[in-house]
DNA sequence: GGCTGGGCCTTACGGTGTAAGTTTGTCAAG
DNA sequence: CTTGACAAACTTACACCGTAAGGCCCAGCC
């Protein structure tokens, strides 16, 4: 029986798909099963699992819309950051992987380079562009990290959890209780936009 | 032989210590071994491992210096955020745990409540305080996440990694190369402070 | 035809979380 | 002092994990 050889791109695509569907990083056996292959065969294409995880993370970064190279920086960075949040929320397992892998892949480097290029073309000095990237990325990563750790997915669940906390410990945490009582339509997208505006406004200080 | 019964506090303290020393979340067997006990004994105090992880995360939050209740908000929040970064860097395994556990513990709730209280006492309306906490926490979490994923620890290693990247792919990522070439004494603490100032300045917009 | 080598498979080992059942230590009631 | 009860700790077992070591098969070449 003839086999079409595994290509590393295929392995990564299916591994990402499996992670998206199952909500977590798949085991070597699961990845192999999905490809109609045994687990150990994967080791002919990747020296160890970490390299697969590196590839998966880079695969996710490749989905992020890069900022258009030489446009007005504020709107371009805003769209780019929103796309980043979209992608990271679509692949919730990815952000948890980030802190354990040191070596960025080509898509990751390309994105970094693109953002730096946009800033440099808009009057940011080298050091200012570095500060700007650090601040913007920190905000996006941190926001998504918090968004993913929320103990609810739908608005209905939010109500349940909120009143649960309120009943249990309402008087011990008065300001938290106040916040929960005042809750209005609290969409993550709106909250993200508010903080993003704050950061983008602040970047101005580092321009030439 | 008489045994002193395990107390949940003891288990958590030792589990945190082990994680700090070994650089990663310990297995049930490792925690038990450290306590001079068998793995399964832990299940008499914690229904499953997730509850231990919840407790470990809360244990870390308890180390964060809370902001003094009714002082000038800007300096107080700044010190608090710096303490948060300190603690999260001292326990590098903690931030990776955050996105997988939904239920915050008492220390975590207390911290949230304290920050909200400080903001409310300084003229922030409920919604504004909520925005402020979200933005500040996002920045701190995201910064630490990036700080921990850097592929080097000392300045010497940085040089190695930097010239490595430069040689390998310098011309493919010109702006990244430029950044690396221009690198100066680039301490995470300074970078953190710069972005923190940006965020703190921006919070003003949400005061009454 | 035979040789070579890459792609895949088989087997095995030590680690993981935890379900289920068993032993041990302590103390109050008879 | 005995007996029973109860909780804490231990033992065993299972299904899963990443991966080291080695074997088999078949396409492409000589």
């Amino acid at each position: 029986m003839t086999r079409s050889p595994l290509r590393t791109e295929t392995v990564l695509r299916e591994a990402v798909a499996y992670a998206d569907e199952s909500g977590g990083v798949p085991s070597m056996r699961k990845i192999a099963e999905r490809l109609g292959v045994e687990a150990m065969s994967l080791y002919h294409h990747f020296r160890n699992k970490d390299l697969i995880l590196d590839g998966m993370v880079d695969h996710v970064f490749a989905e992020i819309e890069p900022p258009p190279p030489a446009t007005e920086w504020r709107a371009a960075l805003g769209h780019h950051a929103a796309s980043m949040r979209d992608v990271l929320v679509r692949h919730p397992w990815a952000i948890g992987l980030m802190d354990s892998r040191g070596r960025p892949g080509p898509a990751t480097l390309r994105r970094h380079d693109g953002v730096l290029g946009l800033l440099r073309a808009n009057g940011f000095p080298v050091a200012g562009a570095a500060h700007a990237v650090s601040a913007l990325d920190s905000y996006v990563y941190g926001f998504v990290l918090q968004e993913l750790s929320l103990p609810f997915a739908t608005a209905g669940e939010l109500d349940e959890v909120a009143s649960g906390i309120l009943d249990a410990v309402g008087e011990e945490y008065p300001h938290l209780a106040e916040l929960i009582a005042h809750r209005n339509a609290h969409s993550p997208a709106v909250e993200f936009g508010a903080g993003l505006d704050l950061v983008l406004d602040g970047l101005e200080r580092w321009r030439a």
Side-chain angles (χ1 to χ4, degrees), chain A:
Chain A
M1 162 184 170
T2 312
R3 305 188 159 282
S4 66
L6 295 179
R7 290 183 310 100
T8 75
E9 168 59 25
T10 312
V11 173
L12 292 180
R13 184 171 14 90
E14 293 305 311
V16 167
Y18 197 106
D20 290 342
E21 292 163 20
S22 76
V25 176
S27 70
M28 296 297 273
R29 288 169 171 81
K30 289 283 165 52
I31 300 174
E33 183 185 4
R34 186 172 178 120
L35 294 162
V37 137
E38 295 298 313
M40 289 310 291
S41 306
L42 297 172
Y43 285 87
H44 280 267
H45 305 268
F46 300 88
R47 193 152 24 77
N48 55 41
K49 186 172 185 178
D50 265 359
L51 293 182
I52 295 190
L53 299 183
D54 285 347
M56 289 172 72
V57 169
D58 205 52
H59 207 273
V60 167
F61 268 81
E63 284 183 36
I64 300 174
E65 276 186 36
T71 53
E72 192 277 313
W73 65 275
R74 217 200 119 105
L77 271 193
H79 288 131
H80 171 68
S83 163
M84 226 169 128
R85 169 172 168 265
D86 268 7
V87 168
L88 290 176
V89 169
R90 261 209 309 278
H91 305 291
W93 45 269
I95 203 156
L97 248 39
M98 279 196 31
D99 71 330
S100 50
R101 61 226 41 271
R103 197 121 40 265
T108 308
L109 292 174
R110 196 154 43 237
R111 186 211 81 104
H112 254 76
D113 198 73
V115 175
L116 284 172
L118 176 71
L119 291 165
R120 296 287 287 121
N122 276 273
F124 282 79
V126 176
H131 280 132
V133 172
S134 166
L136 184 65
D137 284 2
S138 292
Y139 174 70
V140 175
Y141 289 143
F143 188 92
V144 173
L145 192 66
Q146 291 190 87
E147 184 176 359
L148 292 177
S149 77
L150 292 179
F152 44 81
T154 72
E157 284 182 64
L158 183 149
D159 271 21
E160 272 183 50
V161 173
S163 33
I165 293 181
L166 212 53
D167 292 354
V169 292
E171 28 194 78
E172 195 161 355
Y173 310 105
H175 304 102
L176 215 45
E178 180 190 46
L179 176 61
I180 294 171
H182 274 240
R183 73 184 176 279
N184 34 15
H186 180 289
S187 103
V190 171
E191 184 85 59
F192 179 74
L196 182 57
D197 277 341
L198 184 158
V199 173
L200 291 176
D201 287 349
L203 295 188
E204 189 72 54
R205 73 185 59 192
W206 289 318
R207 278 182 76 204

